Structures are given as C-alpha cells and as structure tokens.
mmCIF file of all heavy atoms in Angstrom:
data_model
loop_
_atom_site.group_PDB
_atom_site.id
_atom_site.type_symbol
_atom_site.label_atom_id
_atom_site.label_comp_id
_atom_site.label_asym_id
_atom_site.label_seq_id
_atom_site.Cartn_x
_atom_site.Cartn_y
_atom_site.Cartn_z
ATOM 1 N N ASN N 1 6.866 4.343 -4.058
ATOM 2 C CA ASN N 1 5.514 4.943 -4.476
ATOM 3 C C ASN N 1 4.570 4.536 -3.187
ATOM 4 O O ASN N 1 4.894 4.041 -2.318
ATOM 5 C CB ASN N 1 4.982 4.180 -5.732
ATOM 6 C CG ASN N 1 4.801 2.698 -5.610
ATOM 7 O OD1 ASN N 1 4.510 2.192 -4.500
ATOM 8 N ND2 ASN N 1 4.924 1.958 -6.722
ATOM 9 N N VAL N 2 3.294 5.107 -3.415
ATOM 10 C CA VAL N 2 2.400 5.057 -2.309
ATOM 11 C C VAL N 2 2.077 3.650 -1.755
ATOM 12 O O VAL N 2 2.224 3.406 -0.599
ATOM 13 C CB VAL N 2 1.103 5.673 -2.775
ATOM 14 C CG1 VAL N 2 -0.051 5.271 -1.788
ATOM 15 C CG2 VAL N 2 1.113 7.194 -2.997
ATOM 16 N N LEU N 3 1.964 2.725 -2.781
ATOM 17 C CA LEU N 3 1.658 1.295 -2.327
ATOM 18 C C LEU N 3 2.825 0.739 -1.605
ATOM 19 O O LEU N 3 2.641 0.115 -0.495
ATOM 20 C CB LEU N 3 1.386 0.490 -3.552
ATOM 21 C CG LEU N 3 0.728 -0.910 -3.297
ATOM 22 C CD1 LEU N 3 -0.683 -0.763 -2.735
ATOM 23 C CD2 LEU N 3 0.622 -1.659 -4.600
ATOM 24 N N ASP N 4 3.997 0.992 -1.976
ATOM 25 C CA ASP N 4 5.223 0.411 -1.347
ATOM 26 C C ASP N 4 5.439 1.085 0.052
ATOM 27 O O ASP N 4 5.817 0.440 0.950
ATOM 28 C CB ASP N 4 6.499 0.606 -2.124
ATOM 29 C CG ASP N 4 6.444 -0.267 -3.356
ATOM 30 O OD1 ASP N 4 5.770 -1.327 -3.354
ATOM 31 O OD2 ASP N 4 7.201 -0.009 -4.281
ATOM 32 N N ASN N 5 5.035 2.379 0.177
ATOM 33 C CA ASN N 5 5.115 3.000 1.460
ATOM 34 C C ASN N 5 4.170 2.421 2.539
ATOM 35 O O ASN N 5 4.556 2.130 3.721
ATOM 36 C CB ASN N 5 4.747 4.565 1.332
ATOM 37 C CG ASN N 5 5.940 5.413 1.255
ATOM 38 O OD1 ASN N 5 6.626 5.646 2.282
ATOM 39 N ND2 ASN N 5 6.222 5.964 0.103
ATOM 40 N N ILE N 6 3.071 1.919 2.052
ATOM 41 C CA ILE N 6 2.038 1.418 3.038
ATOM 42 C C ILE N 6 2.406 -0.070 3.295
ATOM 43 O O ILE N 6 2.152 -0.534 4.424
ATOM 44 C CB ILE N 6 0.619 1.441 2.478
ATOM 45 C CG1 ILE N 6 0.271 2.923 2.268
ATOM 46 C CG2 ILE N 6 -0.347 0.744 3.319
ATOM 47 C CD1 ILE N 6 -1.064 3.144 1.582
ATOM 48 N N THR N 7 2.946 -0.802 2.370
ATOM 49 C CA THR N 7 3.289 -2.218 2.631
ATOM 50 C C THR N 7 4.676 -2.577 3.063
ATOM 51 O O THR N 7 4.887 -3.678 3.522
ATOM 52 C CB THR N 7 3.020 -3.016 1.293
ATOM 53 O OG1 THR N 7 3.901 -2.526 0.233
ATOM 54 C CG2 THR N 7 1.581 -2.816 0.760
ATOM 55 N N LEU N 8 5.492 -1.527 3.150
ATOM 56 C CA LEU N 8 6.872 -1.840 3.556
ATOM 57 C C LEU N 8 6.975 -2.400 4.930
ATOM 58 O O LEU N 8 7.590 -3.492 5.113
ATOM 59 C CB LEU N 8 7.706 -0.501 3.367
ATOM 60 C CG LEU N 8 9.218 -0.674 3.764
ATOM 61 C CD1 LEU N 8 9.966 -1.557 2.661
ATOM 62 C CD2 LEU N 8 9.862 0.723 3.787
ATOM 63 N N ALA N 9 6.581 -1.684 5.882
ATOM 64 C CA ALA N 9 6.714 -2.173 7.249
ATOM 65 C C ALA N 9 6.053 -3.516 7.563
ATOM 66 O O ALA N 9 6.573 -4.393 8.139
ATOM 67 C CB ALA N 9 6.155 -1.148 8.314
ATOM 68 N N PRO N 10 4.756 -3.686 7.160
ATOM 69 C CA PRO N 10 4.123 -4.967 7.377
ATOM 70 C C PRO N 10 4.855 -6.178 6.816
ATOM 71 O O PRO N 10 4.906 -7.177 7.445
ATOM 72 C CB PRO N 10 2.740 -4.795 6.753
ATOM 73 C CG PRO N 10 2.448 -3.390 6.759
ATOM 74 C CD PRO N 10 3.850 -2.735 6.525
ATOM 75 N N THR N 11 5.347 -5.981 5.586
ATOM 76 C CA THR N 11 6.120 -7.109 4.895
ATOM 77 C C THR N 11 7.508 -7.341 5.516
ATOM 78 O O THR N 11 7.876 -8.546 5.609
ATOM 79 C CB THR N 11 6.201 -6.965 3.500
ATOM 80 O OG1 THR N 11 6.720 -5.639 3.204
ATOM 81 C CG2 THR N 11 4.797 -6.884 2.813
ATOM 82 N N ILE N 12 8.126 -6.291 5.937
ATOM 83 C CA ILE N 12 9.491 -6.489 6.490
ATOM 84 C C ILE N 12 9.545 -6.821 8.000
ATOM 85 O O ILE N 12 10.102 -7.756 8.509
ATOM 86 C CB ILE N 12 10.385 -5.278 6.193
ATOM 87 C CG1 ILE N 12 10.595 -5.149 4.627
ATOM 88 C CG2 ILE N 12 11.770 -5.364 6.913
ATOM 89 C CD1 ILE N 12 11.437 -3.975 4.230
ATOM 90 N N VAL N 13 8.778 -5.922 8.754
ATOM 91 C CA VAL N 13 8.868 -6.106 10.167
ATOM 92 C C VAL N 13 7.942 -7.138 10.676
ATOM 93 O O VAL N 13 8.267 -8.010 11.474
ATOM 94 C CB VAL N 13 8.457 -4.685 10.889
ATOM 95 C CG1 VAL N 13 8.385 -4.922 12.356
ATOM 96 C CG2 VAL N 13 9.366 -3.627 10.459
ATOM 97 N N LYS N 14 6.782 -7.294 10.128
ATOM 98 C CA LYS N 14 5.743 -8.231 10.626
ATOM 99 C C LYS N 14 5.632 -9.500 9.685
ATOM 100 O O LYS N 14 4.806 -10.442 9.987
ATOM 101 C CB LYS N 14 4.367 -7.656 10.776
ATOM 102 C CG LYS N 14 4.315 -6.499 11.827
ATOM 103 C CD LYS N 14 2.942 -6.091 12.036
ATOM 104 C CE LYS N 14 2.874 -5.103 13.229
ATOM 105 N NZ LYS N 14 1.435 -4.593 13.540
ATOM 106 N N LYS N 15 6.467 -9.500 8.564
ATOM 107 C CA LYS N 15 6.615 -10.739 7.802
ATOM 108 C C LYS N 15 5.240 -10.974 7.114
ATOM 109 O O LYS N 15 4.908 -12.210 6.819
ATOM 110 C CB LYS N 15 7.116 -11.947 8.503
ATOM 111 C CG LYS N 15 8.438 -11.591 9.277
ATOM 112 C CD LYS N 15 9.551 -11.156 8.495
ATOM 113 C CE LYS N 15 10.826 -10.968 9.182
ATOM 114 N NZ LYS N 15 11.939 -10.352 8.331
ATOM 115 N N ALA N 16 4.413 -10.068 6.863
ATOM 116 C CA ALA N 16 3.118 -10.247 6.284
ATOM 117 C C ALA N 16 3.322 -10.758 4.817
ATOM 118 O O ALA N 16 4.271 -10.312 4.127
ATOM 119 C CB ALA N 16 2.283 -8.951 6.352
ATOM 120 N N ASP N 17 2.331 -11.357 4.274
ATOM 121 C CA ASP N 17 2.371 -11.765 2.786
ATOM 122 C C ASP N 17 2.216 -10.522 1.948
ATOM 123 O O ASP N 17 1.408 -9.726 2.123
ATOM 124 C CB ASP N 17 1.159 -12.743 2.484
ATOM 125 C CG ASP N 17 1.071 -13.093 1.146
ATOM 126 O OD1 ASP N 17 1.999 -14.022 0.652
ATOM 127 O OD2 ASP N 17 0.218 -12.681 0.379
ATOM 128 N N LYS N 18 3.123 -10.479 0.966
ATOM 129 C CA LYS N 18 3.143 -9.330 0.093
ATOM 130 C C LYS N 18 1.911 -9.027 -0.650
ATOM 131 O O LYS N 18 1.353 -7.865 -0.721
ATOM 132 C CB LYS N 18 4.279 -9.519 -0.857
ATOM 133 C CG LYS N 18 4.516 -8.322 -2.012
ATOM 134 C CD LYS N 18 4.992 -7.133 -1.302
ATOM 135 C CE LYS N 18 5.294 -6.111 -2.397
ATOM 136 N NZ LYS N 18 5.769 -4.826 -1.878
ATOM 137 N N ALA N 19 1.315 -10.165 -1.245
ATOM 138 C CA ALA N 19 0.118 -9.857 -1.932
ATOM 139 C C ALA N 19 -1.064 -9.485 -1.166
ATOM 140 O O ALA N 19 -1.858 -8.660 -1.561
ATOM 141 C CB ALA N 19 -0.254 -11.232 -2.770
ATOM 142 N N LYS N 20 -1.157 -10.126 0.030
ATOM 143 C CA LYS N 20 -2.257 -9.746 0.975
ATOM 144 C C LYS N 20 -2.024 -8.290 1.476
ATOM 145 O O LYS N 20 -3.057 -7.622 1.577
ATOM 146 C CB LYS N 20 -2.230 -10.693 2.118
ATOM 147 C CG LYS N 20 -3.404 -10.455 3.047
ATOM 148 C CD LYS N 20 -3.518 -11.619 4.142
ATOM 149 C CE LYS N 20 -4.663 -11.355 5.060
ATOM 150 N NZ LYS N 20 -4.717 -12.356 6.115
ATOM 151 N N SER N 21 -0.849 -7.955 1.728
ATOM 152 C CA SER N 21 -0.584 -6.599 2.184
ATOM 153 C C SER N 21 -0.983 -5.555 1.106
ATOM 154 O O SER N 21 -1.466 -4.512 1.485
ATOM 155 C CB SER N 21 0.947 -6.424 2.503
ATOM 156 O OG SER N 21 1.211 -7.154 3.700
ATOM 157 N N GLU N 22 -0.623 -5.900 -0.112
ATOM 158 C CA GLU N 22 -1.049 -4.926 -1.181
ATOM 159 C C GLU N 22 -2.588 -4.806 -1.333
ATOM 160 O O GLU N 22 -3.060 -3.676 -1.548
ATOM 161 C CB GLU N 22 -0.357 -5.343 -2.432
ATOM 162 C CG GLU N 22 1.111 -5.146 -2.496
ATOM 163 C CD GLU N 22 1.644 -5.501 -3.856
ATOM 164 O OE1 GLU N 22 1.002 -5.935 -4.840
ATOM 165 O OE2 GLU N 22 2.962 -5.222 -4.142
ATOM 166 N N GLU N 23 -3.223 -5.936 -1.140
ATOM 167 C CA GLU N 23 -4.764 -5.976 -1.257
ATOM 168 C C GLU N 23 -5.336 -5.063 -0.057
ATOM 169 O O GLU N 23 -6.231 -4.271 -0.400
ATOM 170 C CB GLU N 23 -5.188 -7.371 -1.086
ATOM 171 C CG GLU N 23 -6.772 -7.466 -1.214
ATOM 172 C CD GLU N 23 -7.195 -8.941 -1.019
ATOM 173 O OE1 GLU N 23 -6.398 -9.839 -1.090
ATOM 174 O OE2 GLU N 23 -8.461 -9.154 -0.869
ATOM 175 N N GLU N 24 -4.723 -5.209 1.137
ATOM 176 C CA GLU N 24 -5.292 -4.421 2.227
ATOM 177 C C GLU N 24 -4.881 -2.991 2.052
ATOM 178 O O GLU N 24 -5.728 -2.060 2.393
ATOM 179 C CB GLU N 24 -4.622 -4.985 3.526
ATOM 180 C CG GLU N 24 -5.202 -6.378 3.931
ATOM 181 C CD GLU N 24 -4.661 -6.791 5.180
ATOM 182 O OE1 GLU N 24 -3.654 -6.291 5.683
ATOM 183 O OE2 GLU N 24 -5.139 -7.913 5.693
ATOM 184 N N ALA N 25 -3.695 -2.704 1.417
ATOM 185 C CA ALA N 25 -3.312 -1.275 1.329
ATOM 186 C C ALA N 25 -4.219 -0.631 0.274
ATOM 187 O O ALA N 25 -4.572 0.532 0.433
ATOM 188 C CB ALA N 25 -1.848 -1.280 0.697
ATOM 189 N N ARG N 26 -4.593 -1.303 -0.791
ATOM 190 C CA ARG N 26 -5.520 -0.797 -1.812
ATOM 191 C C ARG N 26 -6.908 -0.556 -1.173
ATOM 192 O O ARG N 26 -7.544 0.575 -1.496
ATOM 193 C CB ARG N 26 -5.615 -1.695 -2.993
ATOM 194 C CG ARG N 26 -4.365 -1.795 -3.860
ATOM 195 C CD ARG N 26 -4.545 -2.571 -5.024
ATOM 196 N NE ARG N 26 -3.306 -2.841 -5.830
ATOM 197 C CZ ARG N 26 -2.698 -1.960 -6.666
ATOM 198 N NH1 ARG N 26 -3.410 -0.806 -6.884
ATOM 199 N NH2 ARG N 26 -1.580 -2.231 -7.229
ATOM 200 N N ALA N 27 -7.298 -1.270 -0.222
ATOM 201 C CA ALA N 27 -8.580 -1.116 0.380
ATOM 202 C C ALA N 27 -8.481 0.109 1.287
ATOM 203 O O ALA N 27 -9.541 0.879 1.283
ATOM 204 C CB ALA N 27 -8.899 -2.331 1.325
ATOM 205 N N LEU N 28 -7.371 0.330 1.966
ATOM 206 C CA LEU N 28 -7.248 1.513 2.829
ATOM 207 C C LEU N 28 -7.199 2.732 1.952
ATOM 208 O O LEU N 28 -7.693 3.861 2.146
ATOM 209 C CB LEU N 28 -5.930 1.440 3.614
ATOM 210 C CG LEU N 28 -6.063 0.468 4.824
ATOM 211 C CD1 LEU N 28 -4.665 0.208 5.347
ATOM 212 C CD2 LEU N 28 -6.974 1.022 5.950
ATOM 213 N N LEU N 29 -6.470 2.698 0.784
ATOM 214 C CA LEU N 29 -6.448 3.808 -0.113
ATOM 215 C C LEU N 29 -7.789 4.196 -0.648
ATOM 216 O O LEU N 29 -8.170 5.338 -0.809
ATOM 217 C CB LEU N 29 -5.448 3.541 -1.284
ATOM 218 C CG LEU N 29 -4.054 3.514 -0.896
ATOM 219 C CD1 LEU N 29 -3.207 3.025 -2.219
ATOM 220 C CD2 LEU N 29 -3.556 4.884 -0.559
ATOM 221 N N ARG N 30 -8.609 3.145 -0.987
ATOM 222 C CA ARG N 30 -10.045 3.317 -1.332
ATOM 223 C C ARG N 30 -10.792 4.138 -0.232
ATOM 224 O O ARG N 30 -11.581 4.948 -0.546
ATOM 225 C CB ARG N 30 -10.517 2.037 -1.689
ATOM 226 C CG ARG N 30 -11.944 2.200 -2.365
ATOM 227 C CD ARG N 30 -12.528 0.720 -2.726
ATOM 228 N NE ARG N 30 -11.556 -0.105 -3.397
ATOM 229 C CZ ARG N 30 -11.095 -1.192 -2.903
ATOM 230 N NH1 ARG N 30 -11.387 -1.690 -1.776
ATOM 231 N NH2 ARG N 30 -10.115 -1.934 -3.550
ATOM 232 N N ARG N 31 -10.553 3.755 0.887
ATOM 233 C CA ARG N 31 -11.164 4.254 2.148
ATOM 234 C C ARG N 31 -10.913 5.819 2.271
ATOM 235 O O ARG N 31 -11.761 6.561 2.701
ATOM 236 C CB ARG N 31 -10.877 3.589 3.368
ATOM 237 C CG ARG N 31 -11.694 4.016 4.558
ATOM 238 C CD ARG N 31 -11.386 2.994 5.727
ATOM 239 N NE ARG N 31 -12.093 1.673 5.453
ATOM 240 C CZ ARG N 31 -11.705 0.568 5.884
ATOM 241 N NH1 ARG N 31 -10.531 0.460 6.607
ATOM 242 N NH2 ARG N 31 -12.310 -0.585 5.631
ATOM 243 N N VAL N 32 -9.707 6.166 1.937
ATOM 244 C CA VAL N 32 -9.283 7.625 2.012
ATOM 245 C C VAL N 32 -9.494 8.320 0.688
ATOM 246 O O VAL N 32 -8.950 9.491 0.598
ATOM 247 C CB VAL N 32 -7.936 7.779 2.713
ATOM 248 C CG1 VAL N 32 -7.932 7.221 4.158
ATOM 249 C CG2 VAL N 32 -6.815 7.122 1.796
ATOM 250 N N GLY N 33 -9.999 7.668 -0.251
ATOM 251 C CA GLY N 33 -10.222 8.361 -1.555
ATOM 252 C C GLY N 33 -9.026 8.529 -2.443
ATOM 253 O O GLY N 33 -9.051 9.424 -3.347
ATOM 254 N N LEU N 34 -8.058 7.602 -2.307
ATOM 255 C CA LEU N 34 -6.806 7.786 -3.097
ATOM 256 C C LEU N 34 -6.350 6.461 -3.782
ATOM 257 O O LEU N 34 -5.156 6.241 -3.959
ATOM 258 C CB LEU N 34 -5.667 8.390 -2.253
ATOM 259 C CG LEU N 34 -5.834 9.685 -1.699
ATOM 260 C CD1 LEU N 34 -4.618 10.146 -0.782
ATOM 261 C CD2 LEU N 34 -5.760 10.806 -2.933
ATOM 262 N N GLU N 35 -7.310 5.626 -4.129
ATOM 263 C CA GLU N 35 -6.976 4.356 -4.702
ATOM 264 C C GLU N 35 -6.263 4.539 -6.010
ATOM 265 O O GLU N 35 -5.307 3.838 -6.391
ATOM 266 C CB GLU N 35 -8.208 3.603 -4.987
ATOM 267 C CG GLU N 35 -7.956 2.194 -5.485
ATOM 268 C CD GLU N 35 -9.275 1.385 -5.689
ATOM 269 O OE1 GLU N 35 -10.280 1.926 -5.702
ATOM 270 O OE2 GLU N 35 -9.122 0.125 -5.917
ATOM 271 N N ASP N 36 -6.485 5.695 -6.777
ATOM 272 C CA ASP N 36 -5.817 5.954 -8.014
ATOM 273 C C ASP N 36 -4.365 6.426 -7.904
ATOM 274 O O ASP N 36 -3.729 6.570 -8.879
ATOM 275 C CB ASP N 36 -6.639 6.864 -8.781
ATOM 276 C CG ASP N 36 -6.847 8.238 -8.171
ATOM 277 O OD1 ASP N 36 -6.743 8.316 -6.960
ATOM 278 O OD2 ASP N 36 -6.948 9.248 -8.847
ATOM 279 N N LYS N 37 -4.013 6.672 -6.672
ATOM 280 C CA LYS N 37 -2.625 7.204 -6.488
ATOM 281 C C LYS N 37 -1.644 6.145 -6.014
ATOM 282 O O LYS N 37 -0.517 6.385 -5.518
ATOM 283 C CB LYS N 37 -2.683 8.282 -5.323
ATOM 284 C CG LYS N 37 -3.531 9.482 -5.807
ATOM 285 C CD LYS N 37 -3.008 10.208 -6.969
ATOM 286 C CE LYS N 37 -3.818 11.438 -7.208
ATOM 287 N NZ LYS N 37 -3.301 12.130 -8.477
ATOM 288 N N ALA N 38 -1.975 4.805 -6.071
ATOM 289 C CA ALA N 38 -1.150 3.688 -5.524
ATOM 290 C C ALA N 38 0.240 3.737 -6.173
ATOM 291 O O ALA N 38 1.267 3.438 -5.523
ATOM 292 C CB ALA N 38 -1.832 2.370 -5.871
ATOM 293 N N ALA N 39 0.335 4.085 -7.352
ATOM 294 C CA ALA N 39 1.588 4.055 -8.128
ATOM 295 C C ALA N 39 2.358 5.407 -8.109
ATOM 296 O O ALA N 39 3.489 5.577 -8.569
ATOM 297 C CB ALA N 39 1.411 3.669 -9.630
ATOM 298 N N ALA N 40 1.705 6.433 -7.524
ATOM 299 C CA ALA N 40 2.335 7.720 -7.406
ATOM 300 C C ALA N 40 3.416 7.801 -6.366
ATOM 301 O O ALA N 40 3.406 6.984 -5.433
ATOM 302 C CB ALA N 40 1.279 8.777 -7.199
ATOM 303 N N TYR N 41 4.352 8.783 -6.479
ATOM 304 C CA TYR N 41 5.295 9.057 -5.440
ATOM 305 C C TYR N 41 4.970 10.302 -4.658
ATOM 306 O O TYR N 41 4.232 11.169 -5.105
ATOM 307 C CB TYR N 41 6.744 9.215 -6.222
ATOM 308 C CG TYR N 41 7.248 7.925 -6.670
ATOM 309 C CD1 TYR N 41 6.870 7.478 -7.984
ATOM 310 C CD2 TYR N 41 8.193 7.161 -5.977
ATOM 311 C CE1 TYR N 41 7.330 6.247 -8.448
ATOM 312 C CE2 TYR N 41 8.653 5.985 -6.483
ATOM 313 C CZ TYR N 41 8.244 5.559 -7.751
ATOM 314 O OH TYR N 41 8.720 4.337 -8.259
ATOM 315 N N PRO N 42 5.397 10.282 -3.400
ATOM 316 C CA PRO N 42 5.049 11.439 -2.469
ATOM 317 C C PRO N 42 5.212 12.803 -3.108
ATOM 318 O O PRO N 42 4.410 13.727 -2.978
ATOM 319 C CB PRO N 42 6.045 11.291 -1.251
ATOM 320 C CG PRO N 42 6.162 9.770 -1.186
ATOM 321 C CD PRO N 42 6.252 9.291 -2.720
ATOM 322 N N ALA N 43 6.239 13.013 -3.938
ATOM 323 C CA ALA N 43 6.546 14.344 -4.523
ATOM 324 C C ALA N 43 5.429 14.706 -5.522
ATOM 325 O O ALA N 43 5.271 15.882 -5.923
ATOM 326 C CB ALA N 43 7.901 14.347 -5.264
ATOM 327 N N GLN N 44 4.673 13.768 -6.067
ATOM 328 C CA GLN N 44 3.635 13.977 -6.980
ATOM 329 C C GLN N 44 2.325 14.246 -6.287
ATOM 330 O O GLN N 44 1.240 14.490 -7.024
ATOM 331 C CB GLN N 44 3.506 12.728 -7.911
ATOM 332 C CG GLN N 44 4.736 12.412 -8.754
ATOM 333 C CD GLN N 44 4.676 11.197 -9.444
ATOM 334 O OE1 GLN N 44 4.289 10.142 -8.905
ATOM 335 N NE2 GLN N 44 4.912 11.162 -10.863
#
C-alpha cells in the first residue's frame, strides 16, 4: 500500500524506526494532498 511504499526503504536500508517513519510518511502524504490514500494500493 501507499504507506508501506514510502516507509519500506527508510526502515530496511537506513534502519529507521517504523513508527517514526510512518508518522513522517503521513506528514508527506498530507503535504501532497493524499493523506486519505495511505492504505490504498497503486492500482487503485
């Protein structure tokens, strides 16, 4: 889903904290006007 797409690399490659990464991802989604699409998949 959208949230996992954004947090995948930071949590695996940079070992970022999962909860913090999700919080930052939601803030970025809010910035681009798509906060309500966090659980959606690309095909949707």
Side-chain angles (χ1 to χ4, degrees):
N1 65 27
V2 166
L3 193 65
D4 288 340
N5 261 287
I6 298 174
T7 60
L8 182 66
T11 54
I12 293 181
V13 178
K14 296 188 175 183
K15 309 300 181 185
D17 178 74
K18 176 72 171 176
K20 185 176 181 180
S21 290
E22 289 186 354
E23 180 181 350
E24 292 180 350
R26 291 183 187 279
L28 285 168
L29 288 173
R30 190 178 310 118
R31 185 170 289 149
V32 297
L34 290 175
E35 186 180 14
D36 61 331
K37 300 296 184 182
Y41 287 82
Q44 298 172 310

